[in-house]
Amino acid sequence: MEESLTHKSDKRAVVLDTSAFLAGYDPFSIAEEQYTVPMVKKEIRENSMAWVRFKMAVENGKLKVRTPERIFVDKMEASAAFVGDVFFLSEVDLQVLALALELKMCGYSSVIATDDYSIQNVANQVGVKFTPLATFGIRFRLQWIRYCPACHRRYQADYKSRRCEVCGTELKRKPIEKKAT
């Protein structure tokens, strides 16, 4: 069941990533509106405690499931490419980020509940708040560059291949810029 958005003012929304459920997050523990994307359910193992919490929260109206508008997904892909996290985010991750941005644009004070460092990095880049659950979270926003550990050739963070075009070695990444969050 998909929820529609109306413009809200001074309303807080928590957007839940799969990692929130896997970390034991209980949607019944807070009063704020809570959202997630349909693909999160597919990442939770059926009949696990996380799956039961997810299912009960949706059935009781505590958790709203919504697919973000494509324009917001595109913005998140561009932001992830800019900071170099595009290869480390799944479609689910991009949708969670996009939904948080869409809610923010609708007047919500949105926050993503996630332990995924790449989601946190991109959220920080676009001004969306996040809260870690089982980790300390990121302390710095990183901008990455990809490189070949064999021949040391450098590639832009959004380079499409996972392998070096010169020697064929699998690329790695390292930070080129670090900003406080």
Side-chain angles (χ1 to χ4, degrees):
M1 177 164 83
E2 293 257 333
E3 286 288 322
S4 62
L5 289 177
T6 55
H7 188 74
K8 302 280 181 170
S9 181
D10 298 325
K11 197 99 169 162
R12 186 176 155 138
V14 179
V15 180
L16 302 170
D17 176 31
T18 305
S19 68
F21 291 100
L22 299 179
Y25 178 83
D26 179 9
F28 293 95
S29 65
I30 64 169
E32 284 87 354
E33 286 188 42
Q34 296 167 84
Y35 291 85
T36 195
V37 297
M39 296 174 77
V40 164
K41 183 179 181 183
K42 294 176 183 167
E43 291 190 335
I44 301 172
R45 193 177 78 238
E46 199 168 320
N47 296 323
S48 66
M49 184 52 88
W51 184 81
V52 171
R53 272 194 222 99
F54 180 95
K55 187 175 177 194
M56 293 300 296
V58 171
E59 288 175 359
N60 287 298
K62 190 68 178 161
L63 178 63
K64 297 172 180 109
V65 179
R66 175 169 170 69
T67 302
E69 298 291 326
R70 184 74 219 172
I71 189 169
F72 294 103
V73 175
D74 292 342
K75 286 182 182 193
M76 288 299 107
E77 286 175 348
S79 293
F82 177 76
V83 296
D85 276 313
V86 72
F87 285 100
F88 302 93
L89 293 170
S90 67
E91 183 63 28
V92 179
D93 298 336
L94 289 167
Q95 285 197 7
V96 166
L97 283 158
L99 181 56
L101 182 62
E102 184 174 352
L103 288 165
K104 182 179 177 184
M105 294 296 112
C106 287
Y108 283 85
S109 173
S110 63
V111 61
I112 301 173
T114 184
D115 284 323
D116 185 305
Y117 290 136
S118 291
I119 290 176
Q120 293 173 13
N121 199 43
V122 176
N124 183 262
Q125 166 69 22
V126 297
V128 171
K129 295 176 184 171
F130 61 87
T131 185
L133 299 162
T135 65
F136 291 111
I138 63 170
R139 294 181 303 155
F140 299 98
R141 178 181 358 132
L142 299 174
Q143 188 161 358
W144 301 94
I145 191 158
R146 296 176 70 209
Y147 72 99
C148 175
C151 71
H152 305 288
R153 181 176 173 119
R154 292 175 154 224
Y155 295 89
Q156 291 296 322
D158 61 351
Y159 178 67
K160 301 294 181 214
S161 177
R162 294 192 177 275
R163 298 209 166 266
C164 177
E165 65 185 25
V166 175
C167 69
T169 303
E170 189 166 336
L171 300 177
K172 295 190 178 233
R173 71 178 180 163
K174 63 182 175 182
I176 57 169
E177 188 175 351
K178 189 161 76 166
K179 294 181 181 174
T181 58

Short mmCIF file of all heavy atoms in Angstrom, two decimals, residues 92-157:
data_model
loop_
_atom_site.label_atom_id
_atom_site.label_comp_id
_atom_site.label_asym_id
_atom_site.label_seq_id
_atom_site.Cartn_x
_atom_site.Cartn_y
_atom_site.Cartn_z
N VAL A 92 17.83 0.16 -3.62
CA VAL A 92 17.07 0.39 -2.38
C VAL A 92 17.65 1.59 -1.64
O VAL A 92 16.91 2.46 -1.17
CB VAL A 92 17.10 -0.86 -1.46
CG1 VAL A 92 16.34 -0.61 -0.17
CG2 VAL A 92 16.54 -2.07 -2.17
N ASP A 93 18.97 1.64 -1.52
CA ASP A 93 19.63 2.75 -0.83
C ASP A 93 19.29 4.09 -1.50
O ASP A 93 18.99 5.07 -0.82
CB ASP A 93 21.15 2.56 -0.83
CG ASP A 93 21.61 1.32 -0.10
OD1 ASP A 93 20.87 0.82 0.77
OD2 ASP A 93 22.72 0.84 -0.41
N LEU A 94 19.36 4.12 -2.82
CA LEU A 94 19.04 5.35 -3.55
C LEU A 94 17.59 5.76 -3.34
O LEU A 94 17.29 6.95 -3.20
CB LEU A 94 19.33 5.17 -5.05
CG LEU A 94 20.81 5.10 -5.42
CD1 LEU A 94 20.97 4.62 -6.86
CD2 LEU A 94 21.49 6.45 -5.22
N GLN A 95 16.69 4.78 -3.28
CA GLN A 95 15.28 5.11 -3.05
C GLN A 95 15.06 5.64 -1.64
O GLN A 95 14.26 6.56 -1.44
CB GLN A 95 14.41 3.89 -3.33
CG GLN A 95 14.26 3.63 -4.80
CD GLN A 95 13.10 2.71 -5.11
OE1 GLN A 95 12.29 2.34 -4.25
NE2 GLN A 95 12.98 2.34 -6.37
N VAL A 96 15.75 5.07 -0.65
CA VAL A 96 15.63 5.57 0.73
C VAL A 96 16.10 7.03 0.79
O VAL A 96 15.43 7.89 1.36
CB VAL A 96 16.44 4.68 1.71
CG1 VAL A 96 16.61 5.35 3.06
CG2 VAL A 96 15.75 3.33 1.87
N LEU A 97 17.25 7.30 0.18
CA LEU A 97 17.76 8.67 0.13
C LEU A 97 16.78 9.59 -0.59
O LEU A 97 16.50 10.70 -0.12
CB LEU A 97 19.11 8.70 -0.59
CG LEU A 97 20.31 8.22 0.21
CD1 LEU A 97 21.44 7.77 -0.71
CD2 LEU A 97 20.78 9.31 1.15
N ALA A 98 16.25 9.13 -1.72
CA ALA A 98 15.32 9.94 -2.50
C ALA A 98 14.04 10.24 -1.73
O ALA A 98 13.53 11.36 -1.77
CB ALA A 98 14.99 9.22 -3.81
N LEU A 99 13.53 9.25 -1.01
CA LEU A 99 12.32 9.46 -0.22
C LEU A 99 12.55 10.49 0.88
O LEU A 99 11.72 11.36 1.12
CB LEU A 99 11.82 8.14 0.37
CG LEU A 99 10.53 8.22 1.19
CD1 LEU A 99 9.38 8.84 0.38
CD2 LEU A 99 10.15 6.84 1.69
N ALA A 100 13.71 10.42 1.53
CA ALA A 100 14.03 11.41 2.57
C ALA A 100 14.10 12.82 1.99
O ALA A 100 13.59 13.77 2.58
CB ALA A 100 15.33 11.04 3.27
N LEU A 101 14.70 12.95 0.81
CA LEU A 101 14.78 14.26 0.16
C LEU A 101 13.39 14.74 -0.26
O LEU A 101 13.05 15.91 -0.08
CB LEU A 101 15.72 14.21 -1.04
CG LEU A 101 15.92 15.54 -1.77
CD1 LEU A 101 16.56 16.58 -0.85
CD2 LEU A 101 16.78 15.34 -3.01
N GLU A 102 12.59 13.84 -0.80
CA GLU A 102 11.23 14.20 -1.22
C GLU A 102 10.41 14.68 -0.01
O GLU A 102 9.70 15.69 -0.10
CB GLU A 102 10.55 13.00 -1.88
CG GLU A 102 9.18 13.31 -2.44
CD GLU A 102 8.57 12.14 -3.21
OE1 GLU A 102 9.26 11.13 -3.46
OE2 GLU A 102 7.39 12.26 -3.56
N LEU A 103 10.52 13.97 1.09
CA LEU A 103 9.80 14.39 2.31
C LEU A 103 10.29 15.76 2.77
O LEU A 103 9.49 16.61 3.18
CB LEU A 103 9.99 13.35 3.41
CG LEU A 103 9.23 12.04 3.22
CD1 LEU A 103 9.77 10.97 4.16
CD2 LEU A 103 7.74 12.24 3.41
N LYS A 104 11.59 15.98 2.69
CA LYS A 104 12.16 17.28 3.07
C LYS A 104 11.59 18.39 2.19
O LYS A 104 11.23 19.46 2.68
CB LYS A 104 13.68 17.23 2.97
CG LYS A 104 14.36 18.51 3.41
CD LYS A 104 15.87 18.40 3.32
CE LYS A 104 16.49 19.73 3.70
NZ LYS A 104 17.94 19.72 3.54
N MET A 105 11.49 18.12 0.89
CA MET A 105 10.94 19.11 -0.05
C MET A 105 9.45 19.35 0.19
O MET A 105 8.92 20.39 -0.21
CB MET A 105 11.17 18.67 -1.50
CG MET A 105 12.63 18.63 -1.91
SD MET A 105 13.40 20.25 -1.88
CE MET A 105 14.55 20.06 -0.55
N CYS A 106 8.77 18.41 0.84
CA CYS A 106 7.34 18.56 1.17
C CYS A 106 7.15 19.22 2.53
O CYS A 106 6.05 19.26 3.05
CB CYS A 106 6.65 17.21 1.14
SG CYS A 106 6.41 16.57 -0.52
N GLY A 107 8.24 19.69 3.14
CA GLY A 107 8.14 20.43 4.38
C GLY A 107 8.40 19.64 5.65
O GLY A 107 8.30 20.16 6.75
N TYR A 108 8.71 18.37 5.51
CA TYR A 108 9.03 17.56 6.68
C TYR A 108 10.47 17.83 7.11
O TYR A 108 11.33 18.16 6.30
CB TYR A 108 8.95 16.06 6.35
CG TYR A 108 7.57 15.48 6.27
CD1 TYR A 108 6.83 15.56 5.10
CD2 TYR A 108 7.02 14.81 7.36
CE1 TYR A 108 5.57 15.00 5.02
CE2 TYR A 108 5.76 14.25 7.28
CZ TYR A 108 5.04 14.35 6.11
OH TYR A 108 3.80 13.79 6.04
N SER A 109 10.73 17.64 8.38
CA SER A 109 12.09 17.55 8.87
C SER A 109 12.40 16.06 8.83
O SER A 109 11.98 15.31 9.71
CB SER A 109 12.18 18.09 10.30
OG SER A 109 13.47 17.85 10.81
N SER A 110 13.08 15.62 7.77
CA SER A 110 13.28 14.18 7.59
C SER A 110 14.66 13.74 8.08
O SER A 110 15.63 14.49 8.00
CB SER A 110 13.09 13.78 6.13
OG SER A 110 14.04 14.39 5.30
N VAL A 111 14.69 12.54 8.60
CA VAL A 111 15.93 11.94 9.08
C VAL A 111 15.93 10.47 8.66
O VAL A 111 14.90 9.80 8.75
CB VAL A 111 16.08 12.11 10.62
CG1 VAL A 111 14.97 11.44 11.37
CG2 VAL A 111 17.43 11.60 11.09
N ILE A 112 17.07 10.00 8.16
CA ILE A 112 17.19 8.60 7.75
C ILE A 112 17.80 7.81 8.90
O ILE A 112 18.85 8.18 9.42
CB ILE A 112 18.09 8.46 6.50
CG1 ILE A 112 17.53 9.26 5.33
CG2 ILE A 112 18.23 6.98 6.12
CD1 ILE A 112 18.45 9.30 4.12
N ALA A 113 17.16 6.73 9.29
CA ALA A 113 17.70 5.82 10.31
C ALA A 113 18.47 4.73 9.56
O ALA A 113 17.85 3.88 8.91
CB ALA A 113 16.59 5.22 11.15
N THR A 114 19.80 4.78 9.63
CA THR A 114 20.63 3.83 8.88
C THR A 114 22.02 3.71 9.48
O THR A 114 22.54 4.67 10.06
CB THR A 114 20.77 4.25 7.40
OG1 THR A 114 21.50 3.25 6.70
CG2 THR A 114 21.47 5.58 7.25
N ASP A 115 22.61 2.55 9.31
CA ASP A 115 24.01 2.33 9.68
C ASP A 115 24.90 2.26 8.45
O ASP A 115 26.10 2.03 8.56
CB ASP A 115 24.15 1.04 10.50
CG ASP A 115 23.66 1.22 11.92
OD1 ASP A 115 23.88 2.30 12.50
OD2 ASP A 115 23.04 0.29 12.46
N ASP A 116 24.34 2.47 7.28
CA ASP A 116 25.10 2.40 6.02
C ASP A 116 25.89 3.70 5.83
O ASP A 116 25.32 4.77 5.69
CB ASP A 116 24.11 2.19 4.87
CG ASP A 116 24.78 1.98 3.54
OD1 ASP A 116 25.59 2.85 3.13
OD2 ASP A 116 24.48 0.96 2.88
N TYR A 117 27.22 3.58 5.82
CA TYR A 117 28.08 4.76 5.71
C TYR A 117 27.93 5.49 4.38
O TYR A 117 28.01 6.72 4.33
CB TYR A 117 29.55 4.38 5.91
CG TYR A 117 29.89 3.98 7.33
CD1 TYR A 117 30.67 2.87 7.58
CD2 TYR A 117 29.41 4.70 8.42
CE1 TYR A 117 30.98 2.48 8.88
CE2 TYR A 117 29.72 4.33 9.72
CZ TYR A 117 30.50 3.23 9.95
OH TYR A 117 30.81 2.86 11.22
N SER A 118 27.70 4.77 3.30
CA SER A 118 27.52 5.44 2.01
C SER A 118 26.22 6.24 1.98
O SER A 118 26.19 7.35 1.45
CB SER A 118 27.55 4.42 0.86
OG SER A 118 28.85 3.89 0.71
N ILE A 119 25.16 5.70 2.56
CA ILE A 119 23.91 6.45 2.66
C ILE A 119 24.13 7.71 3.49
O ILE A 119 23.71 8.81 3.13
CB ILE A 119 22.77 5.60 3.26
CG1 ILE A 119 22.33 4.52 2.28
CG2 ILE A 119 21.57 6.48 3.64
CD1 ILE A 119 21.27 3.57 2.82
N GLN A 120 24.83 7.57 4.62
CA GLN A 120 25.11 8.72 5.48
C GLN A 120 25.92 9.78 4.74
O GLN A 120 25.66 10.98 4.85
CB GLN A 120 25.84 8.27 6.73
CG GLN A 120 25.00 7.41 7.64
CD GLN A 120 25.80 6.83 8.80
OE1 GLN A 120 26.92 7.23 9.09
NE2 GLN A 120 25.20 5.86 9.49
N ASN A 121 26.91 9.34 3.97
CA ASN A 121 27.77 10.26 3.23
C ASN A 121 26.98 11.06 2.20
O ASN A 121 27.12 12.28 2.11
CB ASN A 121 28.90 9.47 2.55
CG ASN A 121 30.07 10.33 2.15
OD1 ASN A 121 30.51 11.21 2.90
ND2 ASN A 121 30.60 10.08 0.98
N VAL A 122 26.12 10.39 1.44
CA VAL A 122 25.32 11.07 0.42
C VAL A 122 24.25 11.95 1.08
O VAL A 122 24.01 13.07 0.63
CB VAL A 122 24.70 10.07 -0.57
CG1 VAL A 122 23.79 10.76 -1.57
CG2 VAL A 122 25.80 9.31 -1.31
N ALA A 123 23.64 11.46 2.14
CA ALA A 123 22.64 12.27 2.86
C ALA A 123 23.27 13.58 3.35
O ALA A 123 22.68 14.65 3.20
CB ALA A 123 22.07 11.48 4.04
N ASN A 124 24.46 13.49 3.91
CA ASN A 124 25.16 14.67 4.37
C ASN A 124 25.45 15.63 3.22
O ASN A 124 25.32 16.84 3.36
CB ASN A 124 26.46 14.27 5.08
CG ASN A 124 27.19 15.46 5.65
OD1 ASN A 124 28.11 15.97 5.04
ND2 ASN A 124 26.75 15.89 6.82
N GLN A 125 25.78 15.08 2.07
CA GLN A 125 26.08 15.88 0.87
C GLN A 125 24.87 16.72 0.44
O GLN A 125 25.04 17.86 0.03
CB GLN A 125 26.51 14.95 -0.27
CG GLN A 125 26.55 15.57 -1.65
CD GLN A 125 27.64 16.60 -1.82
OE1 GLN A 125 28.63 16.61 -1.09
NE2 GLN A 125 27.46 17.50 -2.77
N VAL A 126 23.66 16.18 0.57
CA VAL A 126 22.46 16.89 0.10
C VAL A 126 21.68 17.57 1.23
O VAL A 126 20.61 18.10 1.01
CB VAL A 126 21.52 15.95 -0.69
CG1 VAL A 126 22.20 15.45 -1.94
CG2 VAL A 126 21.02 14.81 0.15
N GLY A 127 22.23 17.53 2.45
CA GLY A 127 21.58 18.22 3.56
C GLY A 127 20.43 17.48 4.19
O GLY A 127 19.55 18.10 4.80
N VAL A 128 20.40 16.16 4.06
CA VAL A 128 19.38 15.35 4.73
C VAL A 128 20.02 14.77 5.99
O VAL A 128 21.12 14.24 5.96
CB VAL A 128 18.88 14.21 3.80
CG1 VAL A 128 18.00 13.24 4.56
CG2 VAL A 128 18.12 14.79 2.61
N LYS A 129 19.30 14.87 7.09
CA LYS A 129 19.83 14.36 8.36
C LYS A 129 19.75 12.84 8.40
O LYS A 129 18.94 12.23 7.71
CB LYS A 129 19.03 14.94 9.53
CG LYS A 129 19.17 16.43 9.67
CD LYS A 129 18.30 16.96 10.77
CE LYS A 129 18.40 18.48 10.82
NZ LYS A 129 17.42 19.05 11.72
N PHE A 130 20.61 12.26 9.21
CA PHE A 130 20.60 10.81 9.41
C PHE A 130 20.94 10.52 10.85
O PHE A 130 21.52 11.35 11.56
CB PHE A 130 21.62 10.11 8.48
CG PHE A 130 23.03 10.54 8.70
CD1 PHE A 130 23.83 9.91 9.65
CD2 PHE A 130 23.57 11.59 7.98
CE1 PHE A 130 25.12 10.32 9.87
CE2 PHE A 130 24.87 12.00 8.19
CZ PHE A 130 25.65 11.37 9.14
N THR A 131 20.55 9.33 11.29
CA THR A 131 20.91 8.89 12.63
C THR A 131 21.33 7.42 12.55
O THR A 131 20.60 6.60 12.02
CB THR A 131 19.76 9.09 13.64
OG1 THR A 131 20.23 8.75 14.94
CG2 THR A 131 18.54 8.28 13.30
N PRO A 132 22.53 7.13 13.03
CA PRO A 132 22.96 5.72 13.07
C PRO A 132 22.29 5.00 14.23
O PRO A 132 21.86 5.63 15.20
CB PRO A 132 24.47 5.82 13.27
CG PRO A 132 24.68 7.13 13.95
CD PRO A 132 23.57 8.03 13.49
N LEU A 133 22.21 3.69 14.13
CA LEU A 133 21.54 2.90 15.17
C LEU A 133 22.52 2.03 15.95
O LEU A 133 22.51 2.02 17.17
CB LEU A 133 20.44 2.05 14.55
CG LEU A 133 19.35 2.87 13.87
CD1 LEU A 133 18.55 2.01 12.94
CD2 LEU A 133 18.48 3.51 14.92
N ALA A 134 23.34 1.25 15.25
CA ALA A 134 24.25 0.31 15.92
C ALA A 134 25.72 0.68 15.71
O ALA A 134 26.59 -0.02 16.18
CB ALA A 134 24.00 -1.11 15.42
N THR A 135 25.97 1.78 15.01
CA THR A 135 27.34 2.24 14.78
C THR A 135 27.45 3.68 15.26
O THR A 135 26.45 4.29 15.65
CB THR A 135 27.71 2.18 13.28
OG1 THR A 135 26.88 3.11 12.57
CG2 THR A 135 27.54 0.78 12.71
N PHE A 136 28.65 4.24 15.17
CA PHE A 136 28.84 5.63 15.56
C PHE A 136 28.45 6.59 14.44
O PHE A 136 28.27 7.77 14.65
CB PHE A 136 30.29 5.89 15.97
CG PHE A 136 30.66 5.22 17.26
CD1 PHE A 136 31.56 4.17 17.26
CD2 PHE A 136 30.11 5.63 18.46
CE1 PHE A 136 31.90 3.54 18.45
CE2 PHE A 136 30.44 5.01 19.64
CZ PHE A 136 31.33 3.96 19.65
N GLY A 137 28.36 6.09 13.21
CA GLY A 137 28.04 6.94 12.08
C GLY A 137 29.28 7.65 11.58
O GLY A 137 30.35 7.58 12.17
N ILE A 138 29.13 8.36 10.46
CA ILE A 138 30.28 9.05 9.87
C ILE A 138 30.58 10.33 10.65
O ILE A 138 29.69 10.97 11.19
CB ILE A 138 30.06 9.36 8.38
CG1 ILE A 138 28.88 10.32 8.16
CG2 ILE A 138 29.90 8.09 7.57
CD1 ILE A 138 28.77 10.85 6.74
N ARG A 139 31.87 10.67 10.71
CA ARG A 139 32.29 11.92 11.33
C ARG A 139 32.67 12.95 10.28
O ARG A 139 32.71 14.13 10.55
CB ARG A 139 33.48 11.69 12.26
CG ARG A 139 33.10 10.85 13.47
CD ARG A 139 34.27 10.66 14.40
NE ARG A 139 35.37 10.06 13.65
CZ ARG A 139 36.65 10.17 13.98
NH1 ARG A 139 37.00 10.85 15.02
NH2 ARG A 139 37.57 9.59 13.25
N PHE A 140 32.98 12.45 9.07
CA PHE A 140 33.37 13.31 7.97
C PHE A 140 32.62 12.90 6.71
O PHE A 140 32.36 11.73 6.50
CB PHE A 140 34.88 13.18 7.67
CG PHE A 140 35.76 13.56 8.82
CD1 PHE A 140 36.28 12.58 9.66
CD2 PHE A 140 36.05 14.89 9.07
CE1 PHE A 140 37.09 12.92 10.72
CE2 PHE A 140 36.86 15.23 10.14
CZ PHE A 140 37.38 14.25 10.96
N ARG A 141 32.30 13.92 5.89
CA ARG A 141 31.77 13.61 4.56
C ARG A 141 32.98 13.43 3.67
O ARG A 141 33.88 14.26 3.63
CB ARG A 141 30.91 14.74 4.02
CG ARG A 141 30.43 14.42 2.61
CD ARG A 141 29.57 15.49 1.96
NE ARG A 141 29.28 16.63 2.75
CZ ARG A 141 29.41 17.88 2.32
NH1 ARG A 141 29.84 18.15 1.12
NH2 ARG A 141 29.10 18.89 3.09
N LEU A 142 33.02 12.31 2.99
CA LEU A 142 34.17 11.99 2.15
C LEU A 142 33.81 12.12 0.68
O LEU A 142 32.71 11.78 0.26
CB LEU A 142 34.65 10.56 2.41
CG LEU A 142 35.13 10.28 3.83
CD1 LEU A 142 35.44 8.80 3.99
CD2 LEU A 142 36.33 11.13 4.19
N GLN A 143 34.77 12.64 -0.08
CA GLN A 143 34.65 12.60 -1.53
C GLN A 143 35.72 11.62 -1.99
O GLN A 143 36.88 11.71 -1.59
CB GLN A 143 34.87 13.98 -2.15
CG GLN A 143 34.57 13.97 -3.62
CD GLN A 143 34.35 15.37 -4.15
OE1 GLN A 143 34.38 16.35 -3.43
NE2 GLN A 143 34.12 15.46 -5.45
N TRP A 144 35.30 10.65 -2.80
CA TRP A 144 36.16 9.54 -3.18
C TRP A 144 36.71 9.69 -4.58
O TRP A 144 36.12 10.35 -5.43
CB TRP A 144 35.37 8.23 -3.13
CG TRP A 144 34.78 7.90 -1.81
CD1 TRP A 144 33.51 8.20 -1.38
CD2 TRP A 144 35.41 7.22 -0.73
NE1 TRP A 144 33.33 7.72 -0.11
CE2 TRP A 144 34.47 7.12 0.32
CE3 TRP A 144 36.68 6.67 -0.55
CZ2 TRP A 144 34.76 6.50 1.52
CZ3 TRP A 144 36.97 6.06 0.66
CH2 TRP A 144 36.02 5.97 1.67
N ILE A 145 37.83 9.02 -4.81
CA ILE A 145 38.37 8.83 -6.15
C ILE A 145 38.66 7.34 -6.29
O ILE A 145 38.99 6.68 -5.30
CB ILE A 145 39.63 9.67 -6.43
CG1 ILE A 145 39.97 9.62 -7.91
CG2 ILE A 145 40.79 9.21 -5.57
CD1 ILE A 145 40.82 10.78 -8.38
N ARG A 146 38.51 6.81 -7.49
CA ARG A 146 38.81 5.40 -7.71
C ARG A 146 40.19 5.30 -8.34
O ARG A 146 40.60 6.18 -9.10
CB ARG A 146 37.72 4.79 -8.58
CG ARG A 146 36.39 4.86 -7.81
CD ARG A 146 35.21 4.38 -8.57
NE ARG A 146 35.29 2.95 -8.73
CZ ARG A 146 34.75 2.30 -9.76
NH1 ARG A 146 34.12 2.94 -10.70
NH2 ARG A 146 34.85 0.99 -9.85
N TYR A 147 40.88 4.22 -8.02
CA TYR A 147 42.23 4.06 -8.54
C TYR A 147 42.55 2.58 -8.71
O TYR A 147 41.92 1.71 -8.13
CB TYR A 147 43.25 4.70 -7.59
CG TYR A 147 43.44 3.94 -6.31
CD1 TYR A 147 44.53 3.07 -6.15
CD2 TYR A 147 42.55 4.06 -5.26
CE1 TYR A 147 44.70 2.35 -4.98
CE2 TYR A 147 42.71 3.34 -4.09
CZ TYR A 147 43.80 2.50 -3.95
OH TYR A 147 43.96 1.77 -2.80
N CYS A 148 43.58 2.33 -9.51
CA CYS A 148 44.05 0.97 -9.74
C CYS A 148 45.22 0.71 -8.79
O CYS A 148 46.21 1.44 -8.83
CB CYS A 148 44.50 0.79 -11.18
SG CYS A 148 45.22 -0.84 -11.48
N PRO A 149 45.11 -0.30 -7.92
CA PRO A 149 46.21 -0.57 -6.99
C PRO A 149 47.45 -1.16 -7.68
O PRO A 149 48.54 -1.15 -7.09
CB PRO A 149 45.60 -1.56 -6.01
CG PRO A 149 44.49 -2.21 -6.75
CD PRO A 149 43.97 -1.19 -7.73
N ALA A 150 47.31 -1.62 -8.92
CA ALA A 150 48.44 -2.22 -9.63
C ALA A 150 49.25 -1.16 -10.40
O ALA A 150 50.45 -1.02 -10.19
CB ALA A 150 47.96 -3.31 -10.57
N CYS A 151 48.57 -0.42 -11.28
CA CYS A 151 49.29 0.54 -12.12
C CYS A 151 49.12 1.99 -11.65
O CYS A 151 49.68 2.90 -12.24
CB CYS A 151 48.88 0.39 -13.58
SG CYS A 151 47.21 0.96 -13.97
N HIS A 152 48.32 2.20 -10.61
CA HIS A 152 48.11 3.50 -9.96
C HIS A 152 47.38 4.53 -10.82
O HIS A 152 47.40 5.71 -10.51
CB HIS A 152 49.45 4.07 -9.45
CG HIS A 152 50.16 3.12 -8.55
ND1 HIS A 152 49.72 2.84 -7.28
CD2 HIS A 152 51.26 2.37 -8.75
CE1 HIS A 152 50.53 1.96 -6.73
NE2 HIS A 152 51.47 1.65 -7.60
N ARG A 153 46.74 4.09 -11.88
CA ARG A 153 45.94 5.01 -12.68
C ARG A 153 44.74 5.46 -11.86
O ARG A 153 44.14 4.68 -11.13
CB ARG A 153 45.49 4.34 -13.96
CG ARG A 153 44.68 5.28 -14.84
CD ARG A 153 44.33 4.63 -16.15
NE ARG A 153 43.43 5.50 -16.87
CZ ARG A 153 43.68 6.03 -18.05
NH1 ARG A 153 44.80 5.76 -18.66
NH2 ARG A 153 42.79 6.81 -18.62
N ARG A 154 44.37 6.74 -11.99
CA ARG A 154 43.23 7.30 -11.26
C ARG A 154 42.03 7.45 -12.18
O ARG A 154 42.18 7.73 -13.37
CB ARG A 154 43.58 8.67 -10.67
CG ARG A 154 44.60 8.59 -9.59
CD ARG A 154 44.99 9.98 -9.13
NE ARG A 154 45.43 9.89 -7.76
CZ ARG A 154 45.08 10.74 -6.81
NH1 ARG A 154 44.29 11.76 -7.08
NH2 ARG A 154 45.53 10.60 -5.58
N TYR A 155 40.85 7.27 -11.59
CA TYR A 155 39.60 7.40 -12.34
C TYR A 155 38.65 8.29 -11.54
O TYR A 155 38.71 8.33 -10.30
CB TYR A 155 38.95 6.04 -12.54
CG TYR A 155 39.75 5.10 -13.41
CD1 TYR A 155 40.71 4.26 -12.86
CD2 TYR A 155 39.54 5.07 -14.78
CE1 TYR A 155 41.44 3.40 -13.65
CE2 TYR A 155 40.27 4.21 -15.58
CZ TYR A 155 41.22 3.38 -15.01
OH TYR A 155 41.95 2.54 -15.80
N GLN A 156 37.75 8.94 -12.26
CA GLN A 156 36.70 9.71 -11.59
C GLN A 156 35.85 8.75 -10.75
O GLN A 156 35.74 7.58 -11.08
CB GLN A 156 35.82 10.43 -12.61
CG GLN A 156 36.52 11.54 -13.34
CD GLN A 156 36.94 12.67 -12.41
OE1 GLN A 156 36.24 13.03 -11.47
NE2 GLN A 156 38.13 13.20 -12.65
N ALA A 157 35.24 9.27 -9.70
CA ALA A 157 34.44 8.44 -8.80
C ALA A 157 33.27 7.77 -9.52
O ALA A 157 32.84 6.69 -9.13
CB ALA A 157 33.92 9.28 -7.65
#
